[in-house]
Amino acid sequence: MKNFAILLFLSLTFTACKNEITTTKEAALEKQEEPNSYIEKEYPDAINSIMKAHGGMEQWDKMNNLCFEMPSKNGAEIHTVSLKDRRTKIEAKDWSIGYDGANVWLLQNKPDAYEGNARFYHNLIFYFYAMPFVLADEGITYEMQEPTQLDGVTYEAVKISYGEGVGDSPEDEYILYFNPESHQMQWLGYTVTYRDNKKSDRWSFIKYGEWQSVNGLLLPKSLTWYTVEDGKPVAVRNTREFEKVVVTETQLDDSVFQQPEGATISPR
């Protein structure tokens, strides 16, 4: 009976990306009465040019949900994100992870099906995928860097850091490398400080080599991680592909992200 309940839960929630779950009538009417939520903010010229090259912040800010499939070694993962409040859900064959706005939960269909840290992972891929738009979040500081050569090509660069208490890892740092002519993002350098929240000088690199146009936005088709030597990317380590990408103004129902029966809260 328990297995049947789990299968029923997954069959219902897997439709979030495919059918774009709508709001209740009351929420839909409220949304119609609201003015456009976009509020123009002041960003450095470089950030403005990058955002414009990827569809613009106004178009991004219209969107309320993002869904995509990412093939993995154990089958596809379906990622669903409520963009305004960053509630998330990741569904795989043997496990599901969700963030309901208060807690990160983990549902395993068999013992020890998920081997990682659910809290660390629940928004990790989304954050990399939603570049450069997530770098317009509140509490961010921008600092232009000297032009930098990566893999034989010279890029403009801007460094991103966070204010104290912003997010789970405020000590994380990012460097966005972009084409000086097209202004499209090409590389991301980043540090990881999740466990100890101490600044790190160990940089990782992702190449944004392929893009796809989805509802007026330029979003990644693939992300390629590189091995690093002397603080620079040197060789391909692995590539993640993104399929069935959907980004729309539809507001997903709260039930999509609610903790299901049998799930456990994931600690930090």
Side-chain angles (χ1 to χ4, degrees), residues 21-243:
I21 296 175
T22 58
T23 60
T24 62
K25 286 184 179 180
E26 291 80 2
L29 288 172
E30 182 180 349
K31 180 178 183 297
Q32 290 174 6
E33 293 171 359
E34 289 178 352
N36 192 323
S37 62
Y38 175 71
I39 300 175
E40 187 173 355
K41 302 176 184 177
E42 291 188 3
Y43 299 105
D45 290 343
I47 295 298
N48 280 327
S49 66
I50 294 165
M51 298 305 177
K52 184 176 180 181
H54 287 265
M57 278 303 301
E58 183 171 4
Q59 181 67 7
W60 172 257
D61 207 52
K62 290 178 182 177
M63 301 299 120
N64 287 307
N65 78 84
L66 169 67
C67 301
F68 56 81
E69 289 191 16
M70 184 182 72
S72 68
K73 62 181 181 180
N74 296 318
E77 294 178 10
I78 299 176
H79 292 240
T80 304
V81 183
S82 173
L83 293 175
K84 294 297 188 290
D85 53 26
R86 302 291 170 82
R87 289 177 298 167
T88 60
K89 183 170 66 177
I90 307 171
E91 300 160 280
K93 177 184 175 183
D94 295 323
W95 52 265
S96 296
I97 292 172
Y99 171 61
D100 59 13
N103 296 301
V104 174
W105 52 260
L106 170 65
L107 177 67
Q108 303 190 81
N109 301 340
K110 58 183 182 181
D112 301 320
Y114 183 76
E115 299 177 351
N117 183 312
R119 175 148 184 165
F120 177 70
Y121 190 65
H122 83 277
N123 63 355
L124 180 69
I125 300 300
F126 159 74
Y127 207 78
F128 289 141
Y129 186 79
M131 295 284 173
F133 298 108
V134 290
L135 297 183
D137 285 354
E138 298 291 341
I140 289 179
T141 299
Y142 307 96
E143 181 183 353
M144 292 302 300
Q145 306 291 289
E146 292 295 324
T148 303
Q149 189 175 90
L150 298 177
D151 201 24
V153 179
T154 300
Y155 299 97
E156 297 291 330
V158 56
K159 187 174 184 179
I160 291 91
S161 55
Y162 294 83
E164 185 177 352
V166 176
D168 272 352
S169 303
E171 299 299 329
D172 285 356
E173 295 180 301
Y174 298 85
I175 300 179
L176 189 157
Y177 301 90
F178 63 98
N179 185 300
E181 296 181 1
S182 69
H183 301 285
Q184 286 186 10
M185 180 180 178
Q186 297 293 307
W187 289 87
L188 180 73
Y190 67 95
T191 64
V192 177
T193 65
Y194 176 75
R195 294 194 180 280
D196 55 16
N197 271 340
K198 296 179 180 179
K199 282 193 179 295
S200 171
D201 58 3
R202 181 179 178 181
W203 288 86
S204 300
F205 286 86
I206 303 173
K207 187 172 186 178
Y208 288 68
E210 292 185 287
W211 297 93
Q212 55 188 321
S213 181
V214 185
N215 205 358
L217 298 170
L218 205 59
L219 299 172
K221 187 174 182 180
S222 66
L223 299 180
T224 301
W225 276 258
Y226 275 63
T227 59
V228 178
E229 293 181 6
D230 299 323
K232 293 290 183 70
V234 294
V236 172
R237 180 160 58 91
N238 66 288
T239 297
R240 291 293 184 97
E241 304 286 342
F242 298 91
E243 304 171 350

